[in-house]
């Protein structure tokens, strides 16, 4: 499939992506065990195959639009946070949990990359694993990590976390714990899955994502700079 203009290609890419998203949401409501993000990705690939549309062409058309929207979506996470009831919330305990998650989420993959003798740039890229894409790429830029590698690590870790979460949560009934875990471990992808569980889970996932991103963006560049001295 080819398009005569950039505008037509962009509109087609956005429409195809939205159709995949809406279809995935409908399927997720009927099949609760089916991760919505994975379903949407598969649907996009199926649509591209049926339409005989080259993925690189689709990606180049859709990327500028969704890259631009990504920053706004991250800021809009403040909306569910504002709706949270903080009365009686164990802020100190949550702060400790988020801090530990931030440190472990960065140092553990970096340590594993070091043990497997990966390159210095790859080790730095793993420092961004636990934060959402806009924050992760900003952190990667500050610590001089390869942006493409950091982006890949963030996306893959989010996909894995969002996919396996439903199976790991079978014995857990507290939506607050589910949401916080998804936001901390799988950032944006986890937050999407958390909203499919409940509004409470979605709010706590947004809380975990936002606060973890803030904490990580502060300490990781300082830590990397200290190591480089």
């Amino acid at each position: 499939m080819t398009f005569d203009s950039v505008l037509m290609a962009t509109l087609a890419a956005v429409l195809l992506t939205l159709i995949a998203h809406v279809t995935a949401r409908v399927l997720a409501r009927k099949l609760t065990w089916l991760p919505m993000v994975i379903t949407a990705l598969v649907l996009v690939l199926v649509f591209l195959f049926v339409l005989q549309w080259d993925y690189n062409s689709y990606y180049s058309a859709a990327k500028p639009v969704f890259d631009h929207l990504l920053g706004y979506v991250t800021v809009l996470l403040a909306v569910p946070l504002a709706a949270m009831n903080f009365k009686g919330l164990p802020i100190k305990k949550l702060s400790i949990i988020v801090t530990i998650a931030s440190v472990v989420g960065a140092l553990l993959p970096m340590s594993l990359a070091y043990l497997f003798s990966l390159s210095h740039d790859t080790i730095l890229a793993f420092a961004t694993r636990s934060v959402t894409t806009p924050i992760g790429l900003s952190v990667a830029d500050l610590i001089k990590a390869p942006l493409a590698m950091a982006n890949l690590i963030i996306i893959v870790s989010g996909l894995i976390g969002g996919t396996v979460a439903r199976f790991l949560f079978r014995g857990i009934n507290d939506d607050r714990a589910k949401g916080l875990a998804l936001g901390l471990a799988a950032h944006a992808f986890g937050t999407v899955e958390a909203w499919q569980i409940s509004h409470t889970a979605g709010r706590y996932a947004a809380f975990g994502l936002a606060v973890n991103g803030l904490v990580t963006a502060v300490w990781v560049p300082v830590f990397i700079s200290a190591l480089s001295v």
Side-chain angles (χ1 to χ4, degrees):
M1 175 181 287
T2 58
F3 293 93
D4 297 331
S5 67
V6 175
L7 177 61
M8 290 299 297
T10 302
L11 289 175
V14 172
L15 182 61
L16 185 150
T17 306
L18 290 177
I19 291 174
H21 173 76
V22 172
T23 305
R25 284 184 66 89
V26 173
L27 290 174
R29 291 174 182 173
K30 296 181 178 180
L31 305 171
T32 56
W33 55 269
L34 195 62
M36 195 188 85
V37 176
I38 300 297
T39 306
L41 288 174
V42 171
L43 286 173
V44 168
L45 294 177
V46 170
F47 291 158
L48 293 178
F49 176 78
V50 172
L51 297 173
Q52 293 296 299
W53 192 1
D54 180 66
Y55 174 79
N56 291 327
S57 299
Y58 159 79
Y59 180 76
S60 62
K63 185 177 184 297
V65 176
F66 290 104
D67 277 356
H68 185 70
L69 293 175
L70 191 59
Y72 294 110
V73 171
T74 304
V75 174
L76 283 174
L77 289 172
V79 175
L81 290 180
M84 286 183 65
N85 181 12
F86 290 96
K87 186 177 180 180
L89 198 66
I91 299 297
K92 290 184 179 180
K93 292 182 179 179
L94 283 177
S95 300
I96 293 173
I97 291 172
V98 172
T99 301
I100 293 174
S102 174
V103 174
V104 173
L107 293 185
L108 179 59
M110 290 177 69
S111 300
L112 291 174
Y114 177 79
L115 289 176
F116 282 104
S117 301
L118 300 182
S119 68
H120 176 70
D121 286 346
T122 303
I123 295 173
L124 291 180
F126 271 104
T128 65
R129 189 221 63 81
S130 65
V131 292
T132 192
T133 304
I135 299 175
L137 294 182
S138 297
V139 172
D141 187 50
L142 288 173
I143 65 178
K144 308 302 180 185
L147 298 182
M149 178 65 72
N151 194 30
L152 177 63
I153 290 170
I154 293 169
I155 291 174
V156 171
S157 64
L159 284 173
I160 294 174
T163 302
V164 304
R166 296 288 182 118
F167 303 99
L168 295 178
F169 289 159
R170 286 180 176 176
I172 300 175
N173 298 319
D174 192 335
D175 285 353
R176 296 171 300 175
K178 293 178 182 179
L180 186 62
L182 280 167
L184 292 174
H187 29 85
F189 289 102
T191 302
V192 171
E193 288 302 313
W195 280 107
Q196 306 308 307
I197 297 173
S198 70
H199 289 290
T200 299
R203 292 190 183 107
Y204 275 80
F207 175 86
L209 180 152
V211 178
N212 180 44
L214 176 62
V215 172
T216 302
V218 171
W219 78 265
V220 166
V222 175
F223 176 75
I224 298 299
S225 298
L227 288 180
S228 303
V229 174

